[in-house]
Amino acid sequence: MEHDLVTVTIALNAWHDRVARVQQLLTTFSDEQLLREVAPGKNRGIYLVGHLVAYHDALCTILDLGPRLHPELDSAFLQQPDKSGMPMPTLIELKQYWTEVHERLARDFQQLPVSGWFARHMAVSEADFQQQPHRNKLSVLLNRTNHLVYHTGQLMLLK
Amino acid sequence: MEHDLVTVTIALNAWHDRVARVQQLLTTFSDEQLLREVAPGKNRGIYLVGHLVAYHDALCTILDLGPRLHPELDSAFLQQPDKSGMPMPTLIELKQYWTEVHERLARDFQQLPVSGWFARHMAVSEADFQQQPHRNKLSVLLNRTNHLVYHTGQLMLLK
């Protein structure tokens, strides 16, 4: 049990640290920077920000934390690539959603007991989880942290 | 103990999966692609590959796995930024080092018992580890996976 607490601490620290780094980037980038492509012909900063907000908002579903805050973002930022012509929120709105979504997750993560992270996530059935106990909520958190870091490497190129 | 095994399985699967994805990229990129900058004025592919090989080779030290295979890479790929003028191996050599380093790590990781991942890493003292039990080998593995994924997001821009 002590190891469980240690593991969850490591995973949550990494998540919060990586979220904070991008939040810091968002305060330093100008709108003009965020509207640029990270490399010629690739995604724009604004798309990656919206993509991360939508993807993290969807954590509520797979981690069983209750209703999502911004499901309306999926069409422009998850179901379509950048420059699809789908309407997007403004950068001011997106930054506000970023804060809302991550503050909500931080609260819910704090309330989840350590044992809850070793329980199944909502995209795996009870029966499958018996056979595949690594498909737990902790694995989702670690995976989403990796996804966040992947796109952070790209956002950093806007510097 | 069952949770420990689950956790280590999740972490090792993520590592091996992310290493394999970059290894796959290296077989599909041409030399010309790997000699390009990932974005104008940023690191070249060859530098990121060497940087990852050197950084992962250094895992041997912090995880107490024995002597490193390629400490000579540090000067060009860890201590200096790209385009420093330091001599670099060829791409053929770097790809060979990539394979050597990751095959060696895979063997050593397989031999480490589950409990070993919850022991301290070599950059923290016994005394400090008593107070900070999250500074274990598992945290190093998770952190290096994040670092790998960060640069993978950049390498993907060479596509």
Side-chain angles (χ1 to χ4, degrees):
Chain A
M1 182 59 198
E2 195 199 315
H3 284 178
D4 288 0
L5 176 60
V6 163
T7 299
V8 169
T9 302
I10 292 168
L12 283 175
N13 284 352
W15 168 263
H16 291 305
D17 174 60
R18 298 300 185 154
V19 167
R21 287 195 211 184
V22 175
Q23 194 148 339
Q24 173 61 22
L25 275 184
L26 293 182
T27 66
T28 58
F29 284 150
S30 66
D31 285 6
E32 187 266 331
Q33 274 175 301
L34 286 168
L35 292 170
R36 278 214 303 262
E37 296 170 337
V38 298
K42 306 296 180 180
N43 290 322
R44 290 173 300 161
I46 187 174
Y47 180 81
L48 292 180
V49 174
H51 177 71
L52 289 171
V53 174
Y55 206 57
H56 293 174
D57 189 41
L59 273 168
C60 303
T61 310
I62 195 166
L63 295 181
D64 199 23
L65 304 174
R68 295 180 51 180
L69 298 180
H70 291 290
E72 78 281 4
L73 298 177
D74 289 11
S75 50
F77 295 109
L78 292 183
Q79 290 155 11
Q80 297 289 333
D82 193 13
K83 296 162 266 181
S84 66
M86 290 289 296
M88 287 184 178
T90 65
L91 278 166
I92 289 178
E93 288 168 325
L94 271 182
K95 289 181 193 180
Q96 184 190 321
Y97 300 164
W98 173 280
T99 305
E100 284 172 20
V101 164
H102 291 98
E103 284 183 354
R104 178 258 178 92
L105 290 174
R107 277 194 302 275
D108 285 348
F109 288 177
Q110 199 169 18
Q111 281 170 17
L112 194 64
V114 167
S115 61
W117 290 102
F118 293 90
R120 74 180 171 99
H121 62 64
M122 294 303 105
V124 63
S125 69
E126 281 284 8
D128 286 349
F129 185 60
Q130 294 303 316
Q131 306 303 316
Q132 302 169 310
H134 58 280
R135 298 176 71 179
N136 58 25
K137 293 191 170 77
L138 179 73
S139 72
V140 173
L141 179 65
L142 293 171
N143 180 281
R144 293 311 185 275
T145 304
N146 272 323
H147 175 264
L148 166 62
V149 171
Y150 179 93
H151 290 304
T152 305
Q154 299 173 333
L155 282 169
M156 286 293 287
L157 300 173
L158 295 171
K159 271 201 169 178
Chain B
M1 182 57 197
E2 197 198 316
H3 283 179
D4 289 0
L5 176 59
V6 164
T7 299
V8 169
T9 302
I10 292 168
L12 283 175
N13 284 351
W15 169 263
H16 291 307
D17 174 60
R18 298 300 185 155
V19 167
R21 288 195 210 185
V22 175
Q23 194 148 338
Q24 172 62 21
L25 275 185
L26 293 182
T27 67
T28 58
F29 284 150
S30 65
D31 285 6
E32 186 267 330
Q33 273 174 303
L34 286 168
L35 291 170
R36 279 214 303 261
E37 295 169 337
V38 297
K42 305 296 179 179
N43 291 322
R44 291 173 300 161
I46 187 174
Y47 180 81
L48 292 180
V49 174
H51 177 70
L52 290 171
V53 173
Y55 206 56
H56 294 173
D57 189 41
L59 274 167
C60 303
T61 309
I62 194 166
L63 296 181
D64 199 22
L65 303 175
R68 295 180 51 180
L69 298 180
H70 291 289
E72 79 281 3
L73 298 177
D74 288 12
S75 50
F77 295 110
L78 292 183
Q79 289 155 13
Q80 297 289 331
D82 193 15
K83 296 162 266 181
S84 66
M86 289 290 296
M88 286 185 179
T90 65
L91 277 167
I92 289 177
E93 288 168 325
L94 271 183
K95 289 181 193 179
Q96 184 191 321
Y97 300 164
W98 173 280
T99 305
E100 284 173 18
V101 164
H102 291 98
E103 284 184 354
R104 178 257 178 91
L105 290 173
R107 276 194 302 276
D108 285 349
F109 288 177
Q110 199 169 18
Q111 282 170 15
L112 195 63
V114 166
S115 61
W117 290 102
F118 294 90
R120 74 180 171 98
H121 62 64
M122 294 302 105
V124 62
S125 70
E126 280 284 8
D128 286 349
F129 184 60
Q130 293 303 317
Q131 307 303 316
Q132 301 170 310
H134 58 280
R135 298 176 70 179
N136 58 25
K137 293 190 170 77
L138 180 73
S139 72
V140 173
L141 178 64
L142 293 172
N143 180 281
R144 293 312 185 274
T145 304
N146 272 323
H147 175 264
L148 166 61
V149 171
Y150 179 93
H151 290 303
T152 305
Q154 299 173 334
L155 283 169
M156 286 293 286
L157 300 173
L158 295 171
K159 273 201 166 180

